[in-house]
Structures are given as structure tokens and as C-alpha cells.
Amino acid sequence: MTVFAHREVLIPLVDGRSTGAICRVTANGSLPSTHPAHLDRAISELLECGLYQAGQQAQAAVRRIQLPGGWLNRPAPVALSVLNPGDVVGLTPDNSASAELGLALAKLMYVTQSGAERVIATGRLKPKVDEADALVEPVTHLGAKFGLVKQYFSQAGAPTPPRLFFAPLTDTDAEPVGVKFASEIDELARMGITVQPIADLRSAASGARASRLAKRSYTRWAEQAIALASLLSICAAAGYWSLSRPIQLEFLSAALANGRVAMTPAGLRRGSSDEETLLPSCRSVDGLPILRPGDTLVIRVGSVTENAWLQPFARHFHLLVALSDKTGVKVLPLPQDIEMGGVHSGDAIAFKLSVPDGPDEDNLVALVAQRSRPFDAAGLEKSLREVLDSLQSSQRISATRNLLAKIAPGYIEYAFRSTRESVCPE
């Protein structure tokens, strides 16, 4: 969490009639109480030093600069005040314009928690046309201000000077500052102060490493909360997709007791020698395979093997449902280890069903599959009965097919007709 620390800008003020003074402006987050004249609280404490108007210009310039910082982030509240008001009171008001650059920089340095904690600055600000920035205009007595800074930091007990001194590109006579005051700049450089002539406020902010809003505590918490919520949403979506993506089931071939291999579902019938033989293909007028009571239906089903990285989440659980349009619906048991323990994707399960004695009717055998957990067999059978009891027999198979296909990502079915009197060859 960012702890906002104050920033300080030293502004040399010279009015031509006195030796001038170094104005120490600090920026911090403690706004003063409401001023009796309802002045802007962020700069109201500049009034007694004659810098309120300069503060207003600085405020306007800072508002024009759109610092990046994230869509949730907003500039921290910041108040400007003078640490040594006694040194600057009494300077002529026209001198205050040269403080505009320093006051604007102080605000920018605080809200960005700039890399430079202290700088020196002098310059007037003028809004750029159609740009979110402000020009740094020349100021009077610039040579005297260089001398004032040198004198201030040369005296006994003076603090370590800031490394950067921002000044306009040109003097009032349009001569480049770096050329006109080369000797003064060199003297300051020997003291560790680099004079940096700049054209605009954004350049000064960049030099002070004050180009991006610092994140306030609530912003960090909000961003972390949003990031966490997004991560949880992604995980939930990934989990839902992992569990609900389709399971591709397919019928497989199976080896019969007599050594033959047949594609399932396959019908078997026990002959006089008590040996089961594979039934030939025989269909009703509706195109359904025909079986008789006592016949055995052999089914072997497998799923398509999933990608290796999905294997830990790919255990499949199955449930077998049989429906006769006249007799009703039953959830049939599978081997316990398959029904409750599941199988890996790509593994096959095989089972046999005996066709029960009953009226001539259409039948549906459906195998459903899902991930993560076994089916609630009793609950599913109850739900199916509640739906089917109110339907006509001709609607039951279609309704069961639609319901089962919706409740599970894996579904495969086999429909046939059971009849006592078959016209199929033996």
C-alpha cells in the first residue's frame, strides 16, 4: 500500500528591490479547514505569501495534464503551503507569477509520489492551445535567482541541495538560458545542482519522474478485489466448462462367448443347446431392430479420449436408463465400481440387458455420462416418472430422450421393439 509522503519545491523569488528569498513550498495530503472567504482549500494557505493567484494558475495547469494511473485511480487530495512564510512576505505581487511552475510541480510530484522528492523551479505557465499541457514562459531576474540559489546552499549549515533546477528555455530577451547563463549554470553544477531548461510543464514532470498517478490504498484494494473476482470468475467458468463440455460416447465392438467379434448393440438368443447365438438383423415396419422376451442385448460403450491436460478432470460417471412406452421407466444398476467410482475418459464399459416379458412395445436404452460425481439414480428415476406419468405412451420415449440429453453432457441411446411374435428368421 502506498504511503503518501510530502514533496517539496524550492522557488527562488527576487523582485529587483531586495536580495530575494527561497520560498519552500511543501505538498501534502492534509487539507486545511475551510477558509472564511471560501478560498480553494488546496491553495488557501498560499494567500498570506501573495502566491494564491499563482496557485490558481498552477491548479489550472495541473488539471489540464491527464496523468495515466488506471481507470479506478483518482488523484490524491493535495494541499500546498509555504514552510518559511516569514522569508517571502513582502515581495512584490508581480514576482509571484514566477512561482507558477514550482507550485504546479509540487502538486504533480505529490499525486505521483515522484522519484525526485525535492526540486528547484522557476517559471511562468501559459496554457498550450489544443493540448493538455502548459508552456513554461521566461521570468525576470533569472540571473539573480541563480545567484540566490548558489548563496543559499553555500552558507554554513545549509541542507544538501536538490539535484534538479527547472528553468525556462529562454530568458526574457529570447536568448537561450543555457547560453546566456552558462557560467552560473556551471557554478551550480559544481554544487551538485543540474539546471534543466524545459519548454513545458509535462517535460518538467517527466524530469522529476512525476508522470503517473500513485495508487491510493482504496484503489489498490479495489483493483485487488476486481482481480480476485475476475480470477474466481475465470476459474468458475473454466470449472463449468471442464464439467459441462460434451462427452462423446460411441458404441464399440465386443467379443462374444463363441469367439466372434460383433458391433454392439447386438442381440443374442439362447438356442436349444443353451448356447447364445448372434441374432441376424431384423427390423420392424418403423425401422427398429426387433427382439423377443428372453433375448439378451449386449452393449459396449466408450468415450473419446480427452487431452492429457484434461485427464485429471476427466473421470466419467454413468447411469443406465431403460424405458418401454407401455411398461414405464427404470434406472438399471451398473457394476458398483463403475457407477460410483467412475472410469477414465477413453475407457469402455460393457453390460448385458435381458429383454423382459411384456406387451409388444417400443423400448429405449440410454446411457448418460457426467464428470465429477455419480448420478443421483433415485432422484433421476423419480423425476422421470413424474414427467412421464402425465404423458401418453406415444410421447414417453421422445420426452425421455429430450430430458436425458439435457441433464448430462454425455448421452447415447439404442431403440428397439420387443414383440412375442417375431417375423424375423431364427
PDB file of all heavy atoms in Angstrom, residues 16 59 151 174 218 220 226 250-251 255 262 296 304 308 317 355-356 397 412 420:
ATOM      1  N   GLY A  16      13.735  42.440  -7.530  1.00  0.00           N
ATOM      2  CA  GLY A  16      14.533  43.530  -8.078  1.00  0.00           C
ATOM      3  C   GLY A  16      14.859  44.608  -7.082  1.00  0.00           C
ATOM      4  O   GLY A  16      15.716  45.458  -7.337  1.00  0.00           O
ATOM      5  N   GLN A  59      -2.965  25.291 -10.419  1.00  0.00           N
ATOM      6  CA  GLN A  59      -4.062  24.328 -10.354  1.00  0.00           C
ATOM      7  C   GLN A  59      -4.649  24.076 -11.736  1.00  0.00           C
ATOM      8  O   GLN A  59      -4.893  22.931 -12.132  1.00  0.00           O
ATOM      9  CB  GLN A  59      -5.175  24.868  -9.436  1.00  0.00           C
ATOM     10  CG  GLN A  59      -4.810  24.955  -7.980  1.00  0.00           C
ATOM     11  CD  GLN A  59      -5.305  23.749  -7.200  1.00  0.00           C
ATOM     12  OE1 GLN A  59      -4.766  22.664  -7.372  1.00  0.00           O
ATOM     13  NE2 GLN A  59      -6.298  23.957  -6.371  1.00  0.00           N
ATOM     14  N   GLN A 151      23.963  31.206  -3.317  1.00  0.00           N
ATOM     15  CA  GLN A 151      24.232  31.771  -1.998  1.00  0.00           C
ATOM     16  C   GLN A 151      23.555  30.959  -0.892  1.00  0.00           C
ATOM     17  O   GLN A 151      24.140  30.694   0.156  1.00  0.00           O
ATOM     18  CB  GLN A 151      23.745  33.212  -1.969  1.00  0.00           C
ATOM     19  CG  GLN A 151      23.919  33.891  -0.617  1.00  0.00           C
ATOM     20  CD  GLN A 151      23.285  35.282  -0.590  1.00  0.00           C
ATOM     21  OE1 GLN A 151      22.775  35.761  -1.599  1.00  0.00           O
ATOM     22  NE2 GLN A 151      23.319  35.895   0.582  1.00  0.00           N
ATOM     23  N   ALA A 174      14.774  36.411 -25.132  1.00  0.00           N
ATOM     24  CA  ALA A 174      14.710  35.303 -26.092  1.00  0.00           C
ATOM     25  C   ALA A 174      16.039  34.585 -26.271  1.00  0.00           C
ATOM     26  O   ALA A 174      16.147  33.680 -27.102  1.00  0.00           O
ATOM     27  CB  ALA A 174      14.199  35.772 -27.453  1.00  0.00           C
ATOM     28  N   TYR A 218      -7.306   2.665  -1.318  1.00  0.00           N
ATOM     29  CA  TYR A 218      -8.596   2.098  -1.714  1.00  0.00           C
ATOM     30  C   TYR A 218      -8.557   1.624  -3.156  1.00  0.00           C
ATOM     31  O   TYR A 218      -9.231   0.659  -3.532  1.00  0.00           O
ATOM     32  CB  TYR A 218      -9.723   3.122  -1.517  1.00  0.00           C
ATOM     33  CG  TYR A 218      -9.811   4.176  -2.604  1.00  0.00           C
ATOM     34  CD1 TYR A 218     -10.542   3.948  -3.765  1.00  0.00           C
ATOM     35  CD2 TYR A 218      -9.153   5.392  -2.473  1.00  0.00           C
ATOM     36  CE1 TYR A 218     -10.613   4.904  -4.763  1.00  0.00           C
ATOM     37  CE2 TYR A 218      -9.219   6.347  -3.463  1.00  0.00           C
ATOM     38  CZ  TYR A 218      -9.959   6.098  -4.602  1.00  0.00           C
ATOM     39  OH  TYR A 218     -10.030   7.042  -5.595  1.00  0.00           O
ATOM     40  N   ARG A 220      -5.878   0.338  -4.678  1.00  0.00           N
ATOM     41  CA  ARG A 220      -5.201  -0.957  -4.667  1.00  0.00           C
ATOM     42  C   ARG A 220      -6.149  -2.050  -4.190  1.00  0.00           C
ATOM     43  O   ARG A 220      -6.198  -3.144  -4.756  1.00  0.00           O
ATOM     44  CB  ARG A 220      -3.963  -0.904  -3.767  1.00  0.00           C
ATOM     45  CG  ARG A 220      -2.834  -0.047  -4.347  1.00  0.00           C
ATOM     46  CD  ARG A 220      -1.604  -0.118  -3.456  1.00  0.00           C
ATOM     47  NE  ARG A 220      -0.530   0.690  -3.993  1.00  0.00           N
ATOM     48  CZ  ARG A 220       0.339   0.260  -4.887  1.00  0.00           C
ATOM     49  NH1 ARG A 220       0.253  -0.976  -5.328  1.00  0.00           N
ATOM     50  NH2 ARG A 220       1.300   1.039  -5.337  1.00  0.00           N
ATOM     51  N   ILE A 226     -11.131  -6.624  -7.666  1.00  0.00           N
ATOM     52  CA  ILE A 226     -11.574  -6.887  -9.041  1.00  0.00           C
ATOM     53  C   ILE A 226     -10.753  -8.008  -9.657  1.00  0.00           C
ATOM     54  O   ILE A 226     -11.284  -8.898 -10.338  1.00  0.00           O
ATOM     55  CB  ILE A 226     -11.481  -5.606  -9.887  1.00  0.00           C
ATOM     56  CG1 ILE A 226     -12.526  -4.594  -9.401  1.00  0.00           C
ATOM     57  CG2 ILE A 226     -11.676  -5.906 -11.365  1.00  0.00           C
ATOM     58  CD1 ILE A 226     -12.406  -3.230 -10.068  1.00  0.00           C
ATOM     59  N   GLU A 250     -19.636 -43.450 -27.832  1.00  0.00           N
ATOM     60  CA  GLU A 250     -19.813 -44.209 -29.079  1.00  0.00           C
ATOM     61  C   GLU A 250     -19.918 -45.690 -28.759  1.00  0.00           C
ATOM     62  O   GLU A 250     -19.349 -46.181 -27.783  1.00  0.00           O
ATOM     63  CB  GLU A 250     -18.647 -43.955 -30.026  1.00  0.00           C
ATOM     64  CG  GLU A 250     -17.278 -44.256 -29.428  1.00  0.00           C
ATOM     65  CD  GLU A 250     -16.135 -43.843 -30.343  1.00  0.00           C
ATOM     66  OE1 GLU A 250     -16.412 -43.264 -31.410  1.00  0.00           O
ATOM     67  OE2 GLU A 250     -14.973 -44.101 -29.972  1.00  0.00           O
ATOM     68  N   PHE A 251     -20.709 -46.379 -29.586  1.00  0.00           N
ATOM     69  CA  PHE A 251     -20.815 -47.825 -29.448  1.00  0.00           C
ATOM     70  C   PHE A 251     -19.554 -48.483 -29.989  1.00  0.00           C
ATOM     71  O   PHE A 251     -19.001 -48.062 -31.014  1.00  0.00           O
ATOM     72  CB  PHE A 251     -22.042 -48.356 -30.182  1.00  0.00           C
ATOM     73  CG  PHE A 251     -23.341 -47.949 -29.545  1.00  0.00           C
ATOM     74  CD1 PHE A 251     -24.245 -47.156 -30.233  1.00  0.00           C
ATOM     75  CD2 PHE A 251     -23.668 -48.375 -28.265  1.00  0.00           C
ATOM     76  CE1 PHE A 251     -25.450 -46.778 -29.651  1.00  0.00           C
ATOM     77  CE2 PHE A 251     -24.866 -48.004 -27.681  1.00  0.00           C
ATOM     78  CZ  PHE A 251     -25.760 -47.209 -28.368  1.00  0.00           C
ATOM     79  N   ALA A 255     -16.334 -58.802 -27.941  1.00  0.00           N
ATOM     80  CA  ALA A 255     -16.067 -60.219 -28.203  1.00  0.00           C
ATOM     81  C   ALA A 255     -17.160 -61.055 -27.541  1.00  0.00           C
ATOM     82  O   ALA A 255     -17.441 -60.895 -26.350  1.00  0.00           O
ATOM     83  CB  ALA A 255     -14.694 -60.598 -27.658  1.00  0.00           C
ATOM     84  N   ALA A 262     -18.479 -58.720 -32.580  1.00  0.00           N
ATOM     85  CA  ALA A 262     -19.632 -58.082 -33.217  1.00  0.00           C
ATOM     86  C   ALA A 262     -19.736 -56.641 -32.771  1.00  0.00           C
ATOM     87  O   ALA A 262     -19.359 -56.277 -31.650  1.00  0.00           O
ATOM     88  CB  ALA A 262     -20.912 -58.836 -32.867  1.00  0.00           C
ATOM     89  N   THR A 296     -31.084 -61.382 -25.204  1.00  0.00           N
ATOM     90  CA  THR A 296     -30.095 -60.601 -24.469  1.00  0.00           C
ATOM     91  C   THR A 296     -29.525 -59.512 -25.373  1.00  0.00           C
ATOM     92  O   THR A 296     -29.173 -59.788 -26.536  1.00  0.00           O
ATOM     93  CB  THR A 296     -28.956 -61.495 -23.958  1.00  0.00           C
ATOM     94  OG1 THR A 296     -29.483 -62.476 -23.073  1.00  0.00           O
ATOM     95  CG2 THR A 296     -27.907 -60.665 -23.215  1.00  0.00           C
ATOM     96  N   VAL A 304     -14.549 -40.806 -26.186  1.00  0.00           N
ATOM     97  CA  VAL A 304     -13.367 -40.332 -26.879  1.00  0.00           C
ATOM     98  C   VAL A 304     -12.336 -39.871 -25.845  1.00  0.00           C
ATOM     99  O   VAL A 304     -12.668 -39.144 -24.903  1.00  0.00           O
ATOM    100  CB  VAL A 304     -13.720 -39.185 -27.844  1.00  0.00           C
ATOM    101  CG1 VAL A 304     -12.477 -38.624 -28.504  1.00  0.00           C
ATOM    102  CG2 VAL A 304     -14.710 -39.676 -28.898  1.00  0.00           C
ATOM    103  N   ALA A 308      -4.434 -34.728 -22.703  1.00  0.00           N
ATOM    104  CA  ALA A 308      -3.719 -35.166 -21.499  1.00  0.00           C
ATOM    105  C   ALA A 308      -3.886 -34.191 -20.344  1.00  0.00           C
ATOM    106  O   ALA A 308      -4.010 -34.600 -19.185  1.00  0.00           O
ATOM    107  CB  ALA A 308      -2.236 -35.354 -21.826  1.00  0.00           C
ATOM    108  N   PHE A 317     -18.772 -40.643 -14.884  1.00  0.00           N
ATOM    109  CA  PHE A 317     -19.739 -41.454 -14.141  1.00  0.00           C
ATOM    110  C   PHE A 317     -20.947 -41.686 -15.038  1.00  0.00           C
ATOM    111  O   PHE A 317     -21.402 -40.783 -15.741  1.00  0.00           O
ATOM    112  CB  PHE A 317     -20.149 -40.754 -12.842  1.00  0.00           C
ATOM    113  CG  PHE A 317     -18.997 -40.556 -11.896  1.00  0.00           C
ATOM    114  CD1 PHE A 317     -18.158 -39.448 -12.006  1.00  0.00           C
ATOM    115  CD2 PHE A 317     -18.733 -41.489 -10.900  1.00  0.00           C
ATOM    116  CE1 PHE A 317     -17.090 -39.267 -11.150  1.00  0.00           C
ATOM    117  CE2 PHE A 317     -17.660 -41.305 -10.034  1.00  0.00           C
ATOM    118  CZ  PHE A 317     -16.841 -40.198 -10.152  1.00  0.00           C
ATOM    119  N   VAL A 355     -34.190 -58.870 -22.269  1.00  0.00           N
ATOM    120  CA  VAL A 355     -35.477 -58.282 -22.665  1.00  0.00           C
ATOM    121  C   VAL A 355     -36.573 -58.951 -21.851  1.00  0.00           C
ATOM    122  O   VAL A 355     -36.763 -60.182 -21.931  1.00  0.00           O
ATOM    123  CB  VAL A 355     -35.723 -58.473 -24.174  1.00  0.00           C
ATOM    124  CG1 VAL A 355     -37.064 -57.867 -24.570  1.00  0.00           C
ATOM    125  CG2 VAL A 355     -34.590 -57.839 -24.975  1.00  0.00           C
ATOM    126  N   PRO A 356     -37.308 -58.197 -21.016  1.00  0.00           N
ATOM    127  CA  PRO A 356     -38.328 -58.814 -20.163  1.00  0.00           C
ATOM    128  C   PRO A 356     -39.582 -59.195 -20.951  1.00  0.00           C
ATOM    129  O   PRO A 356     -39.836 -58.686 -22.041  1.00  0.00           O
ATOM    130  CB  PRO A 356     -38.628 -57.704 -19.148  1.00  0.00           C
ATOM    131  CG  PRO A 356     -38.349 -56.441 -19.891  1.00  0.00           C
ATOM    132  CD  PRO A 356     -37.205 -56.753 -20.812  1.00  0.00           C
ATOM    133  N   ILE A 397     -41.155 -41.930 -24.995  1.00  0.00           N
ATOM    134  CA  ILE A 397     -39.774 -42.113 -25.449  1.00  0.00           C
ATOM    135  C   ILE A 397     -39.161 -40.793 -25.884  1.00  0.00           C
ATOM    136  O   ILE A 397     -38.026 -40.459 -25.523  1.00  0.00           O
ATOM    137  CB  ILE A 397     -39.720 -43.147 -26.591  1.00  0.00           C
ATOM    138  CG1 ILE A 397     -39.988 -44.544 -26.022  1.00  0.00           C
ATOM    139  CG2 ILE A 397     -38.367 -43.104 -27.299  1.00  0.00           C
ATOM    140  CD1 ILE A 397     -39.933 -45.653 -27.054  1.00  0.00           C
ATOM    141  N   ILE A 412     -26.008 -41.389 -25.070  1.00  0.00           N
ATOM    142  CA  ILE A 412     -26.083 -42.284 -26.226  1.00  0.00           C
ATOM    143  C   ILE A 412     -27.272 -43.211 -26.005  1.00  0.00           C
ATOM    144  O   ILE A 412     -27.599 -43.557 -24.854  1.00  0.00           O
ATOM    145  CB  ILE A 412     -24.773 -43.076 -26.412  1.00  0.00           C
ATOM    146  CG1 ILE A 412     -24.731 -43.695 -27.799  1.00  0.00           C
ATOM    147  CG2 ILE A 412     -24.566 -44.095 -25.312  1.00  0.00           C
ATOM    148  CD1 ILE A 412     -23.364 -44.245 -28.166  1.00  0.00           C
ATOM    149  N   ARG A 420     -43.592 -60.573 -28.881  1.00  0.00           N
ATOM    150  CA  ARG A 420     -43.622 -62.017 -28.680  1.00  0.00           C
ATOM    151  C   ARG A 420     -43.635 -62.773 -30.010  1.00  0.00           C
ATOM    152  O   ARG A 420     -43.057 -63.836 -30.144  1.00  0.00           O
ATOM    153  CB  ARG A 420     -44.887 -62.399 -27.876  1.00  0.00           C
ATOM    154  CG  ARG A 420     -44.871 -61.940 -26.428  1.00  0.00           C
ATOM    155  CD  ARG A 420     -46.026 -62.600 -25.677  1.00  0.00           C
ATOM    156  NE  ARG A 420     -46.081 -62.204 -24.284  1.00  0.00           N
ATOM    157  CZ  ARG A 420     -46.787 -61.202 -23.819  1.00  0.00           C
ATOM    158  NH1 ARG A 420     -47.523 -60.463 -24.649  1.00  0.00           N
ATOM    159  NH2 ARG A 420     -46.788 -60.912 -22.524  1.00  0.00           N
TER     160      ARG A 420
END
